[in-house]
Amino acid sequence: MNSFKIYLVASKGTKSEVEFLNILEASLKARIDILQLREKDLSTLEFYNLALKVKVLCEKYNTPLVINDRIDIAMGVNAQGVHIGQKDMPLKRARELLGEDKIIGLTINHKSELDNIQGATYLGAGAVFATPSKQDCTVLGVEGLREIASLSTLPVVAIGGISESNLNMLQGCDIQGVAVVRAIMQANDSYIATLNLRSSFDKTFIGK
């Protein structure tokens, strides 16, 4: 059974590879539940090589690695799965390529998209709050998240501008996890930030 409580979406950006991997390892030590590697600006070879190194770290801490968008990279490094958006490869085809055992996450921006989720493992619903990580995305809001989570037959992970300070605003939403970028990647101490996020999640969603 997959756990999605604390879900890290990580991009190297302007960080050195060493700095990036150190941040990931700190978060893995503090027990993130799943890690998504999201690289829009790297060449295929650069993405592949980085994904190999991230996978070694994830295996060390027994944490699933999923690759954003790139099914070829996910297959190339034998990651645990992929996360795809509404404009990526069709979900049905992605499942055919990856097989039944792999994780497939699907981005959901509106409840109407719940009609086409067969074959996914979980849904990433958002953006809950405005976020600089994805400036062109639709802001779903807490009520939009609540509605999607109440209607979904799959686990829902909330994403978009979520931090330790606003996580409690999601109380009452039937979600299985929160996906964060800046809350860990830009924290002064990513280990402590991860511990604090987990503690806040547990306090907000007792019994999840």
Side-chain angles (χ1 to χ4, degrees):
M1 183 71 178
N2 296 301
S3 175
F4 302 104
K5 277 207 298 193
I6 305 301
Y7 184 133
L8 175 59
V9 181
S11 303
K12 187 170 90 65
T14 58
K15 295 178 175 65
S16 71
E17 188 173 280
V18 170
E19 183 186 6
F20 179 64
L21 293 174
N22 283 343
I23 290 171
L24 297 193
E25 182 154 25
S27 70
L28 287 160
K29 278 182 183 174
R31 292 178 50 230
I32 57 170
D33 293 282
I34 186 167
L35 192 156
Q36 179 191 138
L37 185 60
R38 181 179 185 267
E39 297 293 350
K40 299 289 189 180
D41 301 321
L42 298 183
S43 70
T44 296
L45 182 58
E46 288 169 333
F47 195 169
Y48 171 78
N49 286 333
L50 182 61
L52 282 175
K53 293 173 182 175
V54 174
K55 184 163 186 283
V56 168
L57 276 181
C58 286
E59 287 177 340
K60 179 179 176 181
Y61 294 95
N62 197 30
T63 303
L65 169 66
V66 297
I67 303 294
N68 181 263
D69 294 350
R70 297 289 299 272
I71 291 174
D72 56 335
I73 300 288
M75 294 175 75
V77 303
N78 194 26
Q80 274 71 31
V82 296
H83 185 91
I84 55 177
Q86 294 292 325
K87 296 178 181 178
D88 295 321
M89 182 178 290
L91 176 57
K92 183 180 178 184
R93 183 61 181 139
R95 179 56 74 195
E96 288 170 353
L97 286 167
L98 290 170
E100 292 303 316
D101 296 334
K102 294 293 187 182
I103 296 168
I104 299 183
L106 178 68
T107 296
I108 292 285
N109 304 119
H110 189 271
K111 64 179 180 180
S112 62
E113 293 166 350
L114 288 168
D115 293 339
N116 299 297
I117 62 172
Q118 189 170 3
T121 310
Y122 70 90
L123 304 179
V128 180
F129 306 109
T131 169
S133 301
K134 294 192 85 172
Q135 295 182 349
D136 58 344
C137 65
T138 303
V139 176
L140 188 62
V142 175
E143 286 309 311
L145 171 67
R146 191 189 314 278
E147 188 171 23
I148 286 173
S150 69
L151 294 170
S152 175
T153 55
L154 296 175
V156 172
V157 177
I159 188 168
I162 296 167
S163 65
E164 185 194 348
S165 62
N166 62 19
L167 199 153
N168 63 333
M169 293 174 66
L170 307 184
Q171 192 164 21
C173 296
D174 187 19
I175 59 172
Q176 278 65 47
V178 290
V180 299
V181 183
R182 290 174 300 137
I184 291 176
M185 297 305 297
Q186 293 182 19
N188 291 327
D189 186 324
S190 49
Y191 178 82
I192 296 297
T194 304
L195 290 179
N196 290 343
L197 270 169
R198 177 172 285 279
S199 175
S200 294
F201 187 93
D202 288 343
K203 286 175 185 173
T204 305
F205 301 99
I206 298 296
K208 287 285 176 193

